[in-house]
Amino acid sequence: MIRFYNTLHRKIEEFKPISEGTVKLYTCGPTVYNYAHIGNLRAYVFEDLLRRFLEYSGYEVIHVMNLTDIDDKTIRRSMEEGLSLKSFTDGYIESFYEDIETLNIKKAHHYPRATEFIPQMVEMVQKLEEKKHAYVADDGSVFFKISSFPDYGKLTNLKLEDLRVGQRVENDEYEKEEMRDFALWKGAKADEGDIYWDSPWGPGRPGWHIECSVMSTYYLGTHFDIHCGGVDNIFPHHENEIAQSCAASGDRFVNYWLHNEHLIVNGQKMSKSLNNFYTLRDLLDKNLSPEAIRYTLLSTHYRQKLNFTFESVSDSQKSINRLRELKRRLSLVENIEGDNLEESTSRLYHDFTQKLGSDLNISGALGALFTWVSSVFVLLDKQQLSKDGAVRGLKALETLDHILGVIEEKNPSLDTEIETLIKKREEARSAKNWSLADEIRGKLANMGIILEDTPKGTVWKRGT
Ligand code: AMP
Ligand code: ZN
């Protein structure tokens, strides 16, 4: 049984997909006006864990993630840089794809761009207007009338009595205290240059929220299983999506809403507007491995705040090294006699999946894994493991890595790189270039590699 915390009902619920065997998943994607920061990437890594776990559990997952290539911020920044909206956002979309690949995040099946769905957005706004859920303002903008939708506020747990009747909010992002009618379509403004499309209400462009309602429906239908995003998306974005979609279709919209907590630095949300962010590139430039970064983002439960520190990345690297060292040791076992790990691996599979099935309890799942890892190291040290057992152990690591995505090295030539660095260090030592030798040792240490200088030369192992 799989259970998730559903923000809509504020409780943990058993997960049952609408059609047996298939899960339709929509996750809010990046606003492409800058590189993704690692807070954003935490959201995508959480969604990747969710998807991989559902797939591991036998579901076919259809995953859609939107790319917000038009909103207040993309327009402002592209104009500041003197680029067309498309060439400005194209660059950041490419970087986003690179980041996803670096972090071993499975690609969504569809990455629709908002600007490619303008006619469908106009159509949905028209439908809302026809059904009297929307009205046109003097400047050609169209607003959603939230008093026409009695369920407004259910996701956020807001009361409709608090709503500011007839008052409007133009910004895409605003606070709960400003529960007002929001823009579905924004009439063209002089300071937005030539960024507009023709519509029945004159030239203009869509608001932010309508894109997710339209693109999720386009690929997944009016009623689908899971919708994710960070907690900052609950209000107003997801509340508004529900209002638009349900009002337009008359159907339910999403069964399970899953939201990840924020990645924080010094107690504050990491965000572009606070300018307290690291991009993935910043971290890779500091020689941190993609796997250690992924592990760090993955290993705190998604509904807890994750305080990002460099120590935590270094601890993650140690955990990964321990798993890889186990893999290396298992591959060397030749014993005929010994434990065949049948019992301990089946307990591991059971505990690992049971923990993840309980609202993605990753700490519990990793706890089960590392308890097993320690027990196998003990058998290895005592030479009490059979080759059969080693093969079964290797299979378990490989299988669970389909969910974790951190053990297998993306760059299998890493060992060669390590050997080359060691050789260079030996050359530096013979040339008595101690500073270069130390520099190389430091670089290797950052990669989690420990060197031991023996009379027969330098040997290395991964620190565990
Ligand atoms: P954005 O590009 O700002 O639209 O955000 C993309 C995704 O990242 C959304 O799901 C946000 O909720 C999420 N997000 C933004 N900041 C953080 C953060 N500091 N920690 C975790 N998730 C975040
Ligand atoms: Zn969205």
Side-chain angles (χ1 to χ4, degrees):
M1 188 182 23
I2 297 179
R3 289 171 306 150
F4 296 128
Y5 180 86
N6 188 351
T7 311
L8 189 60
H9 303 130
R10 282 168 284 283
K11 62 177 192 314
I12 296 201
E13 295 175 346
E14 183 181 347
F15 174 70
K16 285 211 179 94
I18 298 166
S19 354
E20 212 182 304
T22 306
V23 179
K24 293 184 175 174
L25 170 68
Y26 186 90
T27 59
C28 283
T31 308
V32 282
Y33 74 108
N34 205 331
Y35 296 113
H37 60 64
I38 54 165
N40 303 132
L41 292 166
R42 178 191 194 190
Y44 311 141
V45 167
F46 142 63
E47 291 152 0
D48 187 52
L49 175 66
L50 170 68
R51 170 166 164 196
R52 283 169 178 260
F53 176 60
L54 288 168
E55 286 176 344
Y56 177 86
S57 307
Y59 292 106
E60 186 202 348
V61 179
I62 304 171
H63 180 193
V64 181
M65 178 181 268
N66 65 303
L67 301 169
T68 302
D69 63 350
I70 174 153
D71 78 325
D72 301 347
K73 292 178 287 196
T74 40
I75 294 179
R76 188 168 23 89
R77 284 290 310 281
S78 66
M79 293 184 75
E80 277 164 17
E81 302 217 350
L83 291 170
S84 72
L85 187 65
K86 175 145 177 38
S87 49
F88 173 75
T89 53
D90 272 356
Y92 289 116
I93 290 175
E94 267 323 298
S95 315
F96 165 72
Y97 289 147
E98 277 167 34
D99 288 353
I100 292 296
E101 199 180 329
T102 306
L103 284 184
N104 202 10
I105 292 172
K106 282 193 159 187
K107 280 199 107 180
H109 300 96
H110 306 279
Y111 283 112
R113 298 178 187 205
T115 51
E116 289 173 356
F117 282 79
I118 305 283
Q120 291 88 338
M121 294 188 214
V122 168
E123 210 175 290
M124 188 180 264
V125 177
Q126 274 181 308
K127 197 182 247 179
L128 289 168
E129 203 187 355
E130 276 160 27
K131 292 184 156 193
K132 308 264 181 287
H133 288 293
Y135 59 92
V136 188
D138 292 345
D139 67 347
S141 296
V142 185
F143 286 87
F144 187 91
K145 187 175 175 183
I146 60 178
S147 61
S148 74
F149 187 71
D151 274 352
Y152 193 88
K154 281 233 164 119
L155 182 72
T156 323
N157 206 13
L158 290 173
K159 290 194 218 74
L160 213 51
E161 296 95 86
D162 297 336
L163 111 97
R164 314 230 176 148
V165 183
Q167 290 191 31
R168 303 194 294 251
V169 54
E170 290 239 342
N171 292 346
D172 285 329
E173 292 164 71
Y174 51 95
E175 301 299 319
K176 284 183 216 153
E177 295 68 43
E178 302 173 82
M179 193 169 48
R180 305 174 195 199
D181 292 350
F182 58 91
L184 298 162
W185 182 263
K186 300 185 177 194
K189 290 198 188 78
D191 63 0
E192 293 190 352
D194 59 0
I195 303 175
Y196 60 79
W197 286 260
D198 288 329
S199 81
W201 316 282
R205 56 141 176 129
W208 172 35
H209 317 294
I210 195 79
E211 70 175 86
C212 287
S213 284
V214 164
M215 299 193 290
S216 60
T217 302
Y218 182 86
Y219 288 103
L220 303 174
T222 48
H223 180 209
F224 60 93
D225 299 297
I226 306 181
H227 194 314
C228 298
V231 288
D232 55 303
N233 280 165
I234 300 175
F235 188 89
H237 187 48
H238 291 164
E239 193 70 64
N240 292 352
E241 272 187 49
I242 295 175
Q244 295 161 160
S245 292
C246 294
S249 72
D251 198 349
R252 285 164 295 179
F253 180 38
V254 171
N255 283 356
Y256 301 88
W257 288 88
L258 271 60
H259 293 101
N260 64 279
E261 251 303 344
H262 284 142
L263 180 144
I264 54 170
V265 252
N266 300 324
Q268 274 188 312
K269 175 191 170 196
M270 179 172 282
S271 74
K272 290 164 199 163
S273 51
L274 291 174
N275 203 25
N276 62 351
F277 64 92
Y278 289 114
T279 64
L280 185 56
R281 278 142 238 263
D282 295 333
L283 300 189
L284 297 175
D285 285 347
K286 292 181 191 291
N287 275 330
L288 302 177
S289 77
E291 292 89 352
I293 299 167
R294 179 181 165 92
Y295 191 102
T296 309
L297 299 177
L298 189 83
S299 54
T300 295
H301 187 253
Y302 76 97
R303 286 195 294 118
Q304 277 172 10
K305 287 193 170 57
L306 163 58
N307 191 21
F308 180 81
T309 62
F310 287 96
E311 274 141 271
S312 57
V313 186
S314 154
D315 289 345
S316 298
Q317 186 66 61
K318 283 186 196 140
S319 302
I320 296 170
N321 289 350
R322 189 160 167 77
L323 297 171
R324 288 182 181 163
E325 184 64 9
L326 181 66
K327 192 171 156 186
R328 191 181 72 85
R329 293 269 304 271
L330 287 173
S331 65
L332 301 174
V333 173
E334 292 296 343
N335 288 352
I336 308 286
E337 298 290 310
D339 196 317
N340 66 12
L341 292 190
E342 200 167 340
E343 204 187 311
S344 81
T345 48
S346 68
R347 194 168 50 243
L348 169 64
Y349 287 126
H350 171 267
D351 292 352
F352 193 89
T353 45
Q354 196 196 37
K355 294 289 178 193
L356 284 181
S358 170
D359 195 30
L360 295 182
N361 176 358
I362 186 71
S363 331
L366 289 172
L369 173 60
F370 280 98
T371 303
W372 174 82
V373 167
S374 300
S375 71
V376 180
F377 267 122
V378 170
L379 292 173
L380 281 165
D381 289 343
K382 293 190 188 157
Q383 304 217 352
Q384 286 176 354
L385 190 66
S386 71
K387 179 146 179 120
D388 263 9
V391 169
R392 197 166 274 120
L394 283 168
K395 181 80 196 148
L397 286 176
E398 189 192 321
T399 306
L400 298 188
D401 202 37
H402 289 152
I403 303 179
L404 296 174
V406 293
I407 306 176
E408 195 185 321
E409 291 179 60
K410 274 193 87 80
N411 179 0
S413 64
L414 200 63
D415 284 8
T416 330
E417 192 186 328
I418 293 166
E419 304 283 356
T420 313
L421 281 170
I422 291 175
K423 215 158 153 220
K424 277 198 183 143
R425 177 173 168 269
E426 278 172 356
E427 282 162 15
R429 274 158 57 97
S430 343
K432 301 208 181 331
N433 186 347
W434 308 118
S435 63
L436 179 61
D438 282 351
E439 194 187 304
I440 297 175
R441 179 186 273 270
K443 189 166 180 194
L444 286 162
N446 274 339
M447 294 162 80
I449 304 303
I450 296 168
L451 301 181
E452 213 175 300
D453 295 314
T454 71
K456 288 190 191 150
T458 308
V459 291
W460 66 273
K461 63 171 186 175
R462 291 191 167 84
T464 56

